[in-house]
Amino acid sequence: MMHTAVGWHVEMEFMEDGEHTKAVAMVRLPDGTEVRAHGHAARHHTDSNQPRVGEEIAGARALNELAMQMLTKAHGEIDAASGLTSHPIHV
């Protein structure tokens, strides 16, 4: 049996202003499709300034949204290929 290696390229970008961190995640799929998602984190004024923590939270939220979009995409492709309405894909 022959196996095919497939790779996805995921990019993350962060924008910070001291109290807020925004993240954008994008994945490029082998068929040329690009899927993008956003995440956000806010630092409470009494918390110490730890930009890395804001990046981790905003990045995780963007990746979670990206995962949900990928599940929705896969669900639509299953329905299109089968001609039927399939059960939702749950995490």
Side-chain angles (χ1 to χ4, degrees):
M1 175 187 277
M2 186 172 197
H3 296 279
T4 303
V6 176
W8 291 2
H9 299 277
V10 178
E11 294 182 15
M12 296 285 299
E13 291 184 3
F14 299 95
M15 289 126 319
E16 298 173 274
D17 69 8
E19 289 190 18
H20 299 92
T21 303
K22 295 179 182 178
V24 178
M26 187 210 34
V27 61
R28 286 190 186 97
L29 303 173
D31 68 0
T33 304
E34 292 184 356
V35 181
R36 295 176 190 270
H38 298 83
H40 179 264
R43 180 176 63 86
H44 190 271
H45 68 276
T46 60
D47 292 339
S48 62
N49 188 11
Q50 297 179 331
R52 184 177 45 83
V53 173
E55 289 172 4
E56 291 169 352
I57 293 169
R61 288 175 173 161
L63 290 170
N64 185 57
E65 176 61 27
L66 189 66
M68 297 309 295
Q69 288 183 37
M70 295 296 299
L71 286 170
T72 300
K73 180 181 183 309
H75 182 68
E77 291 173 0
I78 290 168
D79 288 354
S82 69
L84 303 171
T85 301
S86 58
H87 294 285
I89 300 171
H90 297 286
V91 178

